[in-house]
Amino acid sequence: MAGFWGRRKREQEELTAQDADLARRAQQALVAADERIRLTTDELAFAEAELGPGTTKDLREALDSVRTHLQEAFQLHQLNHDEIPDTAEELRTRNARIVQLCEWAEDLLDDRTEALAAPIERARRAPEIIAKIRADAARLRLALPDARATVDRLSARYAAQALAQIDANPAEAEQLLGFAEHSASVAERRREAGQREQASMALEASIESVRRAEKLIEAVETFEVEALRAESTLAAIVEDSRGDLVVALKEPSSPAVAAAIDELQAALAALPAGGVNTDPFEQLTRLREANAGLDAAIAAARERAARPLPPLEHVRHAIDDADRQLAVTRDVIAGHRGWIGADARTRLAEAERVRTDLDRYLGTSAAAVTAIDDDHREEAFAMARRAAFLASEALQLAQRDIDNARPQPDQWGGPGYGQRGGYGGRGSGGSDVMGGILGGLVIGSLLDGFFD
């Protein structure tokens, strides 16, 4: 008993220490959250001055929500220190809620202020950023002649559809640079006029325009490198494709393989002669797809060769066997319904479902099918065998149920007709047999009276 009370005392001391720690955390969290509200209020004022009320709307709404919920935390803390005594459980619940509210408030304000950090930093550095935008625009304008010359040079080598993705890039980049310079000037003027929100929007547009112009110019140079790489890869794939055709002609033949060979040969034949402007990207894509199609067709043909299709006659025999098994099983279960349990009935239901699915799969009654194409033969064979197997299982389970329910030989050697426990006695073997044969129908109860 001393050990028991000692353990209880230690557990109580630990719980008291945990409650004290939770109370300290609640007080600290409340102070930190209140200070965070005051700090964020100052940050909001600065952000609105720099970015305008529209950009800072989310932070303002977050602050309002936090203030509302923090009032609940203060009220809970007040309840903890009023004149009304509280239980340990009440204090624990309130302090946990205070910590939860304060952590939520700090997380929400962190999220909203972080979203504004980058725009505020740009607003603070607006003069420096505007100067950089103008310098970047001037630098990119110097790159425009080279970009135009590259497009002209590439147009002599590649087809128009290949160049469609970059031929307008120099002109678009020039327009974007003009827009960036104009937006930078607008940002400068609006900032000087105290229209900070409009200045911020113009600055963002200017930054984005310079970024897009630079990407367009870079894409011209990148295209030339990628086009040369595609031509090199194309030459290697052409050589591989011709080798694949030689191998494919030695593989097991099938309609799919023949069609894939034709597609690859057509892709090779479509390659332009030397000196003709080409689209290496489109040609490479078509050859890759044709190669992949041939590989897949050959793999399927090899698998089919290793696992031949069942002959049509075998499929027909499997369907007939499934139908015979189902018919026998149905008859046995129908003739002994009072003795047949759930397992046999479940197997029969599943067998009938598979057999019905087979008819749906073939699009007609499988028994009436005179021909099954290669694409459906294997699956039809498997479904027919599955139905037959399930019907056979159902028959075995039904036979087990019948054997378990049928009276044993010594049950027939009891008292004679009309005696208690004999052929016609209430609950006798004769009554059980007839009840089982008649499937446990309601009239089974009448047999007892009849034999009595």
Side-chain angles (χ1 to χ4, degrees):
M1 289 295 294
F4 171 78
W5 289 112
R7 184 171 66 254
R8 288 291 303 275
K9 183 179 179 181
R10 287 194 300 272
E11 291 175 352
Q12 185 61 42
E13 289 174 348
E14 290 176 0
L15 185 58
T16 301
Q18 291 174 3
D19 288 343
D21 180 64
L22 180 60
R24 284 192 297 272
R25 287 176 53 206
Q27 293 182 25
Q28 293 168 357
L30 196 56
V31 171
D34 189 50
E35 285 300 317
R36 181 59 189 276
I37 288 177
R38 298 174 190 279
L39 177 62
T40 306
T41 301
D42 294 339
E43 292 178 345
L44 175 62
F46 176 80
E48 286 182 339
E50 292 291 334
L51 305 175
T55 307
T56 57
K57 176 176 175 290
D58 289 344
L59 178 58
R60 185 167 57 255
E61 292 177 348
L63 262 175
D64 291 341
S65 179
V66 165
R67 287 193 185 100
T68 299
H69 286 81
L70 210 61
Q71 284 301 316
E72 178 187 348
F74 280 119
Q75 289 170 3
L76 292 172
H77 187 67
Q78 177 62 34
L79 290 174
N80 286 346
H81 296 84
D82 61 14
E83 68 281 1
I84 301 174
D86 300 307
T87 65
E89 181 62 27
E90 288 174 334
L91 291 171
R92 189 179 305 124
T93 301
R94 289 175 193 153
N95 285 328
R97 177 61 175 165
I98 290 171
V99 171
Q100 180 188 38
L101 287 169
C102 293
E103 290 179 347
W104 167 81
E106 298 233 34
D107 289 343
L108 180 61
L109 294 180
D110 282 345
D111 181 68
R112 296 296 188 269
T113 53
E114 185 178 350
L116 289 175
I120 289 175
E121 179 63 19
R122 283 194 291 271
R124 286 172 173 169
R125 298 174 50 239
E128 177 186 344
I129 293 174
I130 289 173
K132 186 176 185 306
I133 287 172
R134 288 171 173 156
D136 287 343
R139 173 178 57 83
L140 292 174
R141 283 188 182 280
L142 294 177
L144 286 175
D146 288 341
R148 293 191 182 93
T150 299
V151 171
D152 292 340
R153 183 174 68 254
L154 294 174
S155 64
R157 181 179 182 87
Y158 300 110
Q161 64 267 24
L163 289 173
Q165 53 185 301
I166 59 134
D167 59 355
N169 281 21
E172 291 178 7
E174 186 172 19
Q175 290 178 346
L176 284 168
L177 292 174
F179 180 76
E181 291 167 336
H182 175 70
S183 297
S185 298
V186 170
E188 203 169 40
R189 291 194 299 272
R190 291 292 184 270
R191 185 174 179 82
E192 291 172 355
Q195 299 171 337
R196 299 302 179 90
E197 186 170 4
Q198 295 178 8
S200 177
M201 293 173 59
L203 186 62
E204 294 285 348
S206 183
I207 293 171
E208 178 63 14
S209 298
V210 170
R211 187 193 66 80
R212 289 179 57 193
E214 187 166 21
K215 292 296 182 184
L216 288 172
I217 294 172
E218 288 176 354
V220 174
E221 300 299 329
T222 301
F223 176 89
E224 185 171 26
V225 174
E226 292 301 324
L228 291 172
R229 185 177 298 166
E231 285 185 288
S232 176
T233 304
L234 181 63
I237 288 185
V238 167
E239 184 177 352
D240 289 343
S241 298
R242 288 171 179 156
D244 291 343
L245 287 172
V246 173
V247 173
L249 294 173
K250 300 176 183 178
E251 292 291 331
S253 181
S254 74
V257 171
I261 289 174
D262 291 343
E263 177 62 26
L264 184 53
Q265 287 175 334
L268 289 170
L271 294 174
V276 176
N277 287 9
T278 64
D279 184 350
F281 302 105
E282 189 276 333
Q283 293 158 6
L284 189 57
T285 298
R286 183 177 178 185
L287 270 181
R288 278 177 174 159
E289 291 176 351
N291 258 295
L294 181 58
D295 290 342
I298 290 175
R302 287 174 178 172
E303 182 182 357
R304 177 59 58 208
R307 183 170 49 84
L309 282 172
L312 178 59
E313 194 62 25
H314 288 188
V315 180
R316 300 275 311 151
H317 289 164
I319 294 172
D320 292 343
D321 179 53
D323 290 340
R324 282 193 298 271
Q325 291 275 12
L326 281 165
V328 171
T329 305
R330 288 191 195 105
D331 289 344
V332 170
I333 291 179
H336 302 80
R337 285 180 292 175
W339 293 346
I340 306 303
D343 291 345
R345 296 169 187 269
T346 300
R347 294 293 194 287
L348 177 60
E350 181 64 10
E352 290 175 332
R353 183 192 67 77
V354 174
R355 182 63 183 83
T356 301
D357 287 347
L358 175 58
D359 284 343
R360 292 198 189 99
Y361 180 71
L362 295 177
T364 183
S365 173
V369 170
T370 58
I372 304 175
D373 59 58
D374 291 352
D375 293 336
H376 297 84
R377 191 179 301 177
E378 186 173 15
E379 183 67 17
F381 184 66
M383 294 174 75
R385 292 185 65 181
R386 175 68 176 162
F389 174 77
L390 289 168
S392 176
E393 271 197 335
L395 182 60
Q396 293 174 17
L397 292 168
Q399 190 62 52
R400 181 198 66 186
D401 293 340
I402 293 169
D403 291 342
N404 290 338
R406 180 177 290 128
Q408 300 302 316
D410 58 352
Q411 291 180 270
W412 299 93
Y417 174 78
Q419 300 179 24
R420 187 72 176 173
Y423 290 115
R426 187 177 301 272
S428 68
S431 178
D432 287 343
V433 171
M434 293 301 293
I437 291 175
L438 292 176
L441 300 177
V442 175
I443 62 171
S445 63
L446 300 179
L447 292 175
D448 293 334
F450 173 79
F451 282 109
D452 285 342

